[in-house]
Amino acid sequence: MSTLLHIDSSPLYGRSVSRELTAAFVNQWKASHPDGRVVDRDLNATAIPPVNAEWVGAVHTPEQARTPLQKELLSLSDSLIAELEQADEYVIGVPMHNFGVPSVLKLWIDQIARVGKTFAYGSAGRRA
């Protein structure tokens, strides 16, 4: 069974062209994957905190040595990464705000870009 991760980042909901486009994609995907599963992630309905010093410290603490607070700080990040790992395909709605991506999308990227989880450094530099 295929899984599609559907992410929307526009705050405009009913007036959003990017949401309209991702919804059309999801409908077509469902038609061609009748047994598939869609995971919807609305970044405006998700409280995503900015990365801070405590979060960075938690990321760089070995998993078995993390305190309960550090585990809590990383719980949303862990959930968002799990959604990515479980999906076979992705559709991400990205409107342009002030010549860039919406701030909620940048917060999401910060939460999923984790050294040792979604990328690593090797002798030749960063590797995915």
Side-chain angles (χ1 to χ4, degrees):
M1 174 172 76
S2 292
T3 300
L4 173 69
L5 177 58
H6 169 208
I7 297 173
D8 275 320
S9 61
S10 173
L12 297 180
Y13 292 91
R15 299 182 334 220
S16 169
V17 173
S18 66
R19 283 180 183 269
E20 187 177 316
L21 291 171
T22 60
F25 181 92
V26 168
N27 287 335
Q28 288 183 352
W29 188 90
K30 284 179 178 179
S32 62
H33 299 81
D35 295 328
R37 182 172 76 100
V38 176
V39 174
D40 293 303
R41 173 61 70 178
D42 182 346
L43 298 181
N44 284 284
T46 305
I48 304 176
V51 168
N52 59 22
E54 290 81 13
W55 189 94
V56 172
V59 165
H60 290 285
T61 299
E63 195 167 343
Q64 65 278 8
R66 289 183 186 143
T67 67
L69 177 59
Q70 288 176 319
K71 291 175 185 176
E72 177 62 29
L73 285 170
L74 297 178
S75 65
L76 175 61
S77 175
D78 289 338
S79 295
L80 297 174
I81 290 170
E83 288 177 349
L84 280 172
E85 292 173 340
Q86 294 165 8
D88 302 296
E89 300 177 65
Y90 315 94
V91 60
I92 302 174
V94 185
M96 182 182 287
H97 290 173
N98 299 325
F99 308 107
V101 301
S103 59
V104 293
L105 182 59
K106 174 61 170 98
L107 290 169
W108 178 80
I109 292 167
D110 287 344
Q111 292 290 324
I112 63 157
R114 289 225 341 243
V115 67
K117 274 277 214 206
T118 55
F119 73 93
Y121 292 105
S123 59
R126 183 195 60 81
R127 60 184 166 79

